[in-house]
Amino acid sequence: MTRIIPVRKLPIAEPELVSRLALSDDGTVSGFVFDPQAPERRFTVDILLDGLVLKTAHADAFAPECCGQDHSNTCGFAIIIDPDLLRAARHLSARVANLETPIGRPIDLENNNAASVDLRPTGKLRWLGGLRFQGWIDSEAAVTLEAIVDGESVAQARTAGWTHIGGEAVGEASRNVRAFDFHVPQRFADGRVHRILLRREDGEQIPATAVFVAFPDGLAGLIDVVGGYEAERLRGKLYDQLIPASLPLHDYADWRDRFPLPEPQPSSLRLAIVIAGSDGAQQTLSTLETQSNENWTAGAIDGQPLLIDSDAMLEFLQNAAPDASHVVVAMAGVALERNALARIAAAFDAHPDAVAIYGDLDFLADDGRLWPLAFPAFDYERMLEQGYCALLFAVRRDALIATLGTRPDNLYRLFNGLLDRTGPQQADFLHLPGALATMPVFDRAKASRLLSAASRLHLRSRGIDAEATEQRGNFFPAVRIRRPFVRHRTTVIIPTRDRVSMLRTCLDSIAPAIKRCRADILVIDNDSAHPEAIGFLADLPRRGIRTLRIEGPFNFARLNNRAAAELDTDILCFLNNDIEAVSDDWLEEMLARLVEPDVGAVGALLTLPGGVVQHGGVVLGMNFSVAHACTDRVSDDPGFLDQLLVAHECSALTAACLATRRSDYLAVGGMDESRFAVAFNDVDYCLRLREAGKRIVFTPHAKLIHAESVSRGSDARADRRDRFEHELNLLRARWGEMLNDDPTYNPQLSRDGVPYGGLAWPPGPRNPRYNRPPRGHDLPLGF
């Protein structure tokens, strides 16, 4: 017989918490909560108005009152509440979610005498993976910060950049703050967990800390060295994808020694070397004498830098190099790497279909430091506006002789003349990652004049009578190409929900461009409920603006798909309602880029209200995800290798401002509203356009202001994080190979943090590569 012994249930003792609640004049509700017996615990906080839960927050922000001596504990919270809600309520309170333990004292909103304590963060430190860190502090002036790892001062970080924070919640003020980016020394890549904090020069600690772990040359590389099962190596490879490592760009010389390019396969290919120009020719000839490949014949063509004599080149090829099947053309002064010719010959052997080859270059600064000029796979638009690949290239003999028949008189016209008959078809132009040579000093103003004329002549040979305006470049020449504007029926599509003031600003600011291009506007009303919004939307047809009401949860892809199905226009221009135009030619600039039939989408340079770049194109593969380029720059910064001065190709763009043909949109099925309802629908759409053989073009000559996610909020919010991660996993499943090998990004550059901010450690595959269409994987629904 079983005996039942009654057990008395003991009450669970609630922790005795230390907490505080405060309300600032601007509607910021802030406070802290921590358990002195378990200071490592973190709590979720409910914010209540008149006893009803309004918002939930995580108590993980810095709060001086709940920090130990090392300032490591962060248990504060701060959120913004709409002032209208506060005015309509009587009591404000907070509690620990689930436990219902009160936090601080309730605040009487009718007679608020509570202390105003603002616990919004004044600084942030973020580990980007490997040895790289990024962050910001709320400071007007640039300061130098000291990085402390495990109690030891190891590095300094200068707050030389800018970033934009805040503005994610209703009523929350956004602002520009000082940003920093730094690496700690390589000796901390030892596979052990380290702790880092920052302090000012006066010893004051910045309220931000982080822990990190890094492995020499990546975890996968370490497993290869020490030995292990293949499954463990795959685990290490995944770790390296998700937590990539990098080194600072100024360590490039040491990085080159640490990761030398593999020796190329021997080749029997005979090369002819043509040196264009007299000044500096001897320097180029001296580096030819040290080449590992000795199967070549060289000749220098007298003349000014960048200029060529077509007849002299033909004479040299016929008389001095009749048996050379391929020709290397170099600007005088180029200093070739020891194995440059061997790499070129091996690449032609491995890719006999290649018409031309170009490679990366190095730049030697006045102080003797070496910097990488790391290029993308072939970029037609960038070739026209920057001529980046014309200072040193190799070409098949037959293609070169055919181009010389057009009588080019400079290197830019010689290179783009290879495309006079084929147009922007990238398949036969090969890029070699890794420096082939060091670039000489040259007159960039003169180069801009030559490039302007060369690009204009090339486009004319293709039947395009374009304007080419010289600009001031930093590393290379810079030209703005204006193709003839062909008027097509264009509709600007703007989804919205309430937020009348934002929509009004958007519509008023774009009105000059709409009039200039004779475009139409379609405003998509996604369940607006505010009376002011309903009245404003009802009045739009009187102004000639069409509206379309679509009910249901916010699904950005579905809204745009419905709009595309309703319209019969030629061009669709997707535009967020938090966009503000600052000129009247931005739409014309974008539409003119669509004159090229193989351009599938065009995007603009978007800046935050304070002038910090929000979108400079999308780079794939950053932290095995995607990232906006140049968000560490201000709008007048030239960007990495002047890319914010010239139009160039990207793998993807943001649909916050994106122009595309309706026929192309429908041909690829529009945006994927089932898998990418909110995030990555624009990235997926651009990649499917590229899969169909289209080019994606970013132009900095169209510039607008974007108050990013002000209307919808941030994807980092707790209630949206799961959805965001799900859509990110779907993107990885469909386009994983592209995330590992973005042809518009150089494999030698970092894949952590902001693109173009460091050197990949270790570098990605540096094999010769084309700019070929990607291949996506099918994703059956439900998987």
Side-chain angles (χ1 to χ4, degrees):
M1 180 177 179
T2 303
R3 184 181 180 187
I4 300 176
I5 301 176
V7 177
R8 182 167 60 92
K9 184 177 180 180
L10 298 175
I12 300 175
E14 292 187 2
E16 294 187 6
L17 305 180
V18 178
S19 63
R20 189 179 194 179
L21 179 67
L23 175 64
S24 297
D25 294 337
D26 64 354
T28 300
V29 177
S30 58
F32 63 82
V33 54
F34 77 98
D35 183 354
Q37 303 301 317
E40 73 281 356
R41 292 186 63 182
R42 296 293 176 268
F43 297 94
T44 299
V45 177
D46 289 335
I47 307 297
L48 301 90
L49 282 181
D50 293 337
L52 299 177
V53 176
L54 176 68
K55 290 189 177 183
T56 299
H58 296 289
D60 56 4
F62 177 77
E65 295 89 340
C66 57
C67 283
Q69 290 185 344
D70 61 357
H71 286 222
S72 61
N73 294 330
T74 50
C75 53
F77 60 89
I79 64 169
I80 295 288
I81 295 182
D82 191 327
D84 291 338
L85 294 176
L86 290 172
R87 283 191 288 269
R90 298 183 60 186
H91 294 94
L92 170 70
S93 59
R95 69 188 182 194
V96 177
N98 301 322
L99 295 179
E100 300 191 359
T101 303
I103 294 175
R105 295 181 179 181
I107 296 174
D108 183 350
L109 296 174
E110 294 181 337
N111 301 285
N112 181 18
N113 296 318
S116 179
V117 179
D118 190 355
L119 294 180
R120 288 178 299 179
T122 58
K124 185 174 183 179
L125 175 66
R126 180 188 173 204
W127 175 46
L128 299 180
L131 302 174
R132 190 178 180 190
F133 297 84
Q134 225 173 41
W136 57 265
I137 63 169
D138 205 346
S139 170
E140 293 184 2
V143 297
T144 299
L145 304 175
E146 189 178 14
I148 312 296
V149 176
D150 301 337
E152 176 190 358
S153 176
V154 300
Q156 288 188 332
R158 181 74 175 168
T159 59
W162 293 92
T163 190
H164 197 80
I165 64 169
E168 295 177 355
V170 176
E172 181 183 7
S174 62
R175 62 196 192 277
N176 290 340
V177 292
R178 289 282 181 173
F180 56 83
D181 185 320
F182 69 95
H183 292 75
V184 297
Q186 294 184 42
R187 58 189 171 89
F188 291 103
D190 54 10
R192 304 170 76 176
V193 176
H194 299 281
R195 188 173 186 171
I196 184 170
L197 56 86
L198 298 174
R199 66 187 179 201
R200 297 175 184 263
E201 292 174 301
D202 59 7
E204 178 189 352
Q205 183 178 317
I206 301 301
T209 62
V211 294
F212 69 97
V213 61
F215 299 89
D217 300 344
L219 181 56
L222 178 64
I223 292 172
D224 281 344
V225 172
V226 302
Y229 296 106
E230 180 63 20
E232 293 304 315
R233 187 181 186 282
L234 293 175
R235 195 192 309 271
K237 184 177 180 181
L238 179 60
Y239 175 94
D240 292 338
Q241 285 178 336
L242 297 177
I243 310 180
S246 67
L247 292 174
L249 288 167
H250 61 72
D251 280 352
Y252 175 61
D254 292 337
W255 180 92
R256 271 187 26 140
D257 294 338
R258 177 67 187 83
F259 301 108
L261 289 162
E263 286 297 324
Q265 292 293 321
S267 172
S268 59
L269 212 62
R270 183 75 179 173
L271 299 176
I273 318 299
V274 176
I275 302 171
S278 304
D279 295 340
Q282 189 56 48
Q283 178 179 342
T284 304
L285 286 169
S286 65
T287 59
L288 282 172
E289 295 172 358
T290 63
Q291 289 296 301
S292 60
N293 183 330
E294 299 179 353
N295 197 16
W296 52 267
T297 302
I301 308 297
D302 289 337
Q304 296 294 318
L306 297 171
L307 299 181
I308 61 171
D309 183 326
S310 298
D311 291 335
M313 289 185 69
L314 281 171
E315 182 182 352
F316 166 73
L317 292 175
Q318 292 168 356
N319 298 334
D323 56 345
S325 59
H326 295 76
V327 184
V328 177
V329 182
M331 175 186 173
V334 163
L336 296 168
E337 292 292 318
R338 180 189 61 85
N339 62 356
L341 298 185
R343 289 180 62 204
I344 290 171
F348 275 126
D349 284 341
H351 301 274
D353 56 337
V355 172
I357 289 176
Y358 69 96
D360 296 336
L361 299 172
D362 284 344
F363 171 74
L364 188 63
D366 292 340
D367 62 359
R369 176 171 282 177
L370 208 60
W371 296 86
L373 305 182
F375 299 134
F378 181 65
D379 183 337
Y380 178 79
E381 217 69 16
R382 192 165 176 175
M383 176 201 72
L384 292 177
E385 298 207 352
Q386 192 181 62
Y388 72 100
C389 41
L391 300 184
L392 173 65
F393 63 94
V395 60
R396 284 205 315 245
R397 182 190 184 98
D398 58 340
L400 179 65
I401 290 176
T403 303
L404 288 173
T406 65
R407 312 291 295 175
D409 62 357
N410 65 73
L411 291 179
Y412 301 116
R413 183 66 186 110
L414 179 63
F415 188 92
N416 67 32
L418 298 170
L419 293 164
D420 282 358
R421 295 176 178 84
T422 61
Q425 302 300 319
Q426 306 101 322
D428 297 332
F429 285 72
L430 203 62
H431 168 235
L432 300 186
L436 288 175
T438 299
M439 183 180 73
V441 176
F442 63 100
D443 185 341
R444 290 165 183 79
K446 177 182 177 181
S448 292
R449 292 193 297 272
L450 295 175
L451 177 61
S452 174
S455 296
R456 191 167 53 247
L457 287 171
H458 163 67
L459 289 172
R460 189 177 300 166
S461 75
R462 296 183 49 231
I464 301 174
D465 190 17
E467 296 181 10
T469 307
E470 301 165 26
Q471 299 190 118
R472 183 180 179 84
N474 185 34
F475 282 100
F476 298 97
V479 171
R480 178 176 179 179
I481 299 295
R482 287 186 173 92
R483 293 172 175 84
F485 174 64
V486 178
R487 201 174 303 282
H488 291 288
R489 293 178 304 156
T490 301
T491 300
V492 178
I493 301 170
I494 308 175
T496 192
R497 176 183 290 176
D498 294 323
R499 309 306 301 276
V500 170
S501 61
M502 182 181 299
L503 179 60
R504 181 184 290 112
T505 298
C506 176
L507 293 174
D508 290 346
S509 70
I510 68 173
I514 296 297
K515 181 179 179 180
R516 182 168 174 162
C517 296
R518 299 180 188 174
D520 297 318
I521 299 176
L522 173 65
V523 174
I524 306 173
D525 173 20
N526 183 210
D527 279 349
S528 291
H530 196 283
E532 183 184 4
I534 294 174
F536 181 81
L537 291 166
D539 188 55
L540 288 181
R542 185 183 61 82
R543 298 169 50 184
I545 298 175
R546 182 179 173 185
T547 62
L548 174 65
R549 183 170 176 84
I550 301 178
E551 300 178 347
F554 179 76
N555 183 321
F556 185 77
R558 179 172 65 91
L559 298 179
N560 288 316
N561 287 347
R562 283 282 303 277
E566 291 277 340
L567 297 167
D568 62 354
T569 188
D570 298 318
I571 307 294
L572 308 174
C573 179
F574 302 111
L575 198 72
N576 279 15
N577 63 345
D578 52 2
I579 289 286
E580 180 180 353
V582 294
S583 68
D584 61 358
D585 65 345
W586 62 272
L587 182 57
E588 183 176 324
E589 162 67 17
M590 296 175 70
L591 297 180
R593 301 279 168 181
L594 287 171
V595 167
E596 296 279 6
D598 71 331
V599 173
V602 180
L605 172 62
L606 305 181
T607 71
L608 293 163
V612 175
V613 173
Q614 183 269 325
H615 174 75
V618 170
V619 172
L620 308 181
M622 306 302 292
N623 292 99
F624 204 35
S625 180
V626 301
H628 297 289
C630 305
T631 56
D632 57 341
R633 314 289 179 120
V634 290
S635 58
D636 58 354
D637 190 289
F640 182 76
L641 305 190
D642 298 348
Q643 65 181 0
L644 290 183
L645 300 179
V646 297
H648 58 273
E649 292 182 31
C650 300
S651 284
L653 300 162
T654 177
C657 182
L658 183 146
T660 188
R661 295 181 191 82
R662 179 173 177 268
S663 58
D664 288 338
Y665 190 82
L666 298 178
V668 300
M671 295 184 185
D672 191 336
E673 60 188 76
S674 299
R675 298 169 182 84
F676 304 106
V678 179
F680 308 116
N681 38 58
D682 42 14
V683 174
D684 177 71
Y685 171 64
C686 288
L687 289 175
R688 283 186 285 118
L689 281 176
R690 291 207 64 225
E691 189 175 32
K694 300 290 184 175
R695 292 190 293 130
I696 310 299
V697 174
F698 167 85
T699 172
H701 310 307
K703 185 186 298 185
L704 304 98
I705 296 173
H706 181 205
E708 181 187 20
S709 298
V710 167
S711 60
R712 187 176 58 82
S714 170
D715 286 317
R717 278 175 33 179
D719 58 338
R720 296 174 177 174
R721 203 171 295 141
D722 289 345
R723 187 265 310 151
F724 179 84
E725 291 295 334
H726 175 67
E727 293 179 350
L728 174 57
N729 286 334
L730 289 175
L731 184 76
R732 288 168 173 167
R734 175 174 282 177
W735 301 105
E737 285 80 4
M738 277 294 288
L739 293 185
N740 275 333
D741 188 18
D742 184 346
T744 68
Y745 193 65
N746 193 287
Q748 300 187 128
L749 297 176
S750 62
R751 296 190 177 276
D752 56 1
V754 179
Y756 307 102
L759 298 162
W761 182 40
R766 290 178 285 182
N767 303 319
R769 58 185 190 151
Y770 291 117
N771 190 355
R772 292 255 170 93
R775 294 286 299 276
H777 296 290
D778 290 333
L779 287 180
L781 287 174
F783 286 86

